[in-house]
Amino acid sequence: DIQMTQSPSSLSASVGDRVTITCQASQDISNYLNWYQQKPGKAPKLLIYDASNLETGVPSRFSGSGSGTDFTFTISSLQPEDIATYYCQQYDNLPPTFGQGTKLEIK
Amino acid sequence: QVQLVQSGAEVKKPGASVKVSCKASGYTFTSYGISWVRQAPGQGLEWMGWISAYNGNTNYAQKLQGRVTMTTDTSTSTAYMELRSLRSDDTAVYYCARDLLAAADNWGQGTLVTVSS
C-alpha cells in the first residue's frame, strides 16, 4: 500500500494567517491526490481533487499543488470556519490511502 | 442535489454482523460507484472498499477480505455494506461516498456502529 505522510499533525494559527499543510507519498502518484476537510462530528468534504483542482463551491482561499511524491495544501487567509481536520488521499493505486490528518486550530 | 442518506446507529455484540444502508438521490445511481470509509473514535479515515453501481464489481481492503460484502440495489438506488464477525475494533463511524475510485465528492452522514458485549 502507498503510505501518505502529512505534516504537521496539528497546527495552531490566527485568523488571516496563511496556512500550509504538506503530504508526502511513499511512491510517485502523479497528480492522483485529493484533499478533504472534516469538521467535528461531520462527514469529510472534498475540497481539492487531482492535486490542484478546486471542487465546485469551495472558496478560492483553498488551493493545492504538487505532483509525484510531494504535495501542498494552502489556506491563503484562515477563517474561523476553517477549523477542522484536513486529510490528503491518494488514488493512484488500490487501496486508496489517507494521510493521518492535520488538525487545525485557531490561536 | 446529490444526497446519500445512511441508516441509523447500531449496537452489536462481538461475533455478530451489521448491515448499513446508503440511499442515493439526485443523480443517476448507476453512473457512479460507492466507496465505504470508516473512522474509529478519535482516529483517521480508513478505506474499506468500493462497489460499482453499474455492474456490481467490487474491490475490498485486504484486511477486511472475507468479512465484508458490498452490494447495491439499483431499483431503489441503495448501497449496502455488511460486515461480519464483528470485533471491538470495528467500533467506528461508517461512511458511504459517491466515488468513481477517484475523488469521493458526496458523502453520507455516517452511521455509528458500536461493538460491545
Side-chain angles (χ1 to χ4, degrees):
Chain A
D1 297 1
I2 296 176
Q3 305 304 312
M4 305 300 294
T5 303
Q6 272 182 250
S7 62
S9 297
S10 63
L11 175 57
S12 182
S14 300
V15 173
D17 281 355
R18 183 180 183 88
V19 170
T20 298
I21 299 168
T22 64
C23 182
Q24 185 169 60
S26 59
Q27 64 187 68
D28 189 336
I29 59 168
S30 184
N31 68 329
Y32 299 126
L33 183 105
N34 304 317
W35 290 95
Y36 298 89
Q37 175 193 65
Q38 187 180 32
K39 297 184 178 181
K42 299 296 186 183
K45 175 185 176 182
L46 177 67
L47 298 182
I48 304 283
Y49 63 95
D50 295 347
S52 61
N53 293 302
L54 197 65
E55 175 70 349
T56 302
V58 173
S60 59
R61 65 180 180 274
F62 296 100
S63 64
S65 64
S67 67
T69 60
D70 294 302
F71 301 86
T72 300
F73 172 81
T74 300
I75 307 173
S76 60
S77 178
L78 184 66
Q79 299 302 304
E81 60 267 31
D82 299 337
I83 297 314
T85 299
Y86 293 84
Y87 294 92
C88 61
Q89 179 211 26
Q90 69 80 23
Y91 63 95
D92 181 51
N93 278 8
L94 289 172
T97 46
F98 293 91
Q100 80 277 18
T102 296
K103 186 174 183 179
L104 180 54
E105 298 174 330
I106 293 285
K107 192 182 293 183
Chain B
Q1 74 284 16
V2 174
Q3 269 196 309
L4 298 172
V5 179
Q6 299 183 224
S7 49
E10 304 262 13
V11 179
K12 297 292 183 180
K13 293 193 183 305
S17 299
V18 69
K19 191 169 186 176
V20 179
S21 68
C22 170
K23 184 171 176 58
S25 61
Y27 72 98
T28 301
F29 184 65
T30 52
S31 295
Y32 291 81
I34 296 287
S35 280
W36 290 88
V37 174
R38 68 179 180 179
Q39 186 170 38
Q43 302 302 308
L45 302 170
E46 178 187 14
W47 183 82
M48 300 178 66
W50 175 87
I51 181 167
S52 165
Y54 173 70
N55 58 16
N57 285 351
T58 55
N59 193 292
Y60 300 139
Q62 188 162 7
K63 69 177 284 188
L64 297 174
Q65 286 274 2
R67 288 207 300 140
V68 68
T69 301
M70 296 175 187
T71 57
T72 60
D73 181 345
T74 56
S75 69
T76 60
S77 298
T78 303
Y80 299 91
M81 186 285 298
E82 181 180 32
L83 188 60
R84 300 176 293 278
S85 302
L86 289 168
R87 309 187 290 246
S88 58
D89 62 356
D90 291 318
T91 294
V93 176
Y94 289 74
Y95 295 102
C96 63
R98 188 179 80 162
D99 194 354
L100 284 170
L101 273 182
D105 63 356
N106 285 272
W107 294 64
Q109 82 277 18
T111 296
L112 175 62
V113 175
T114 303
V115 183
S116 174
S117 55

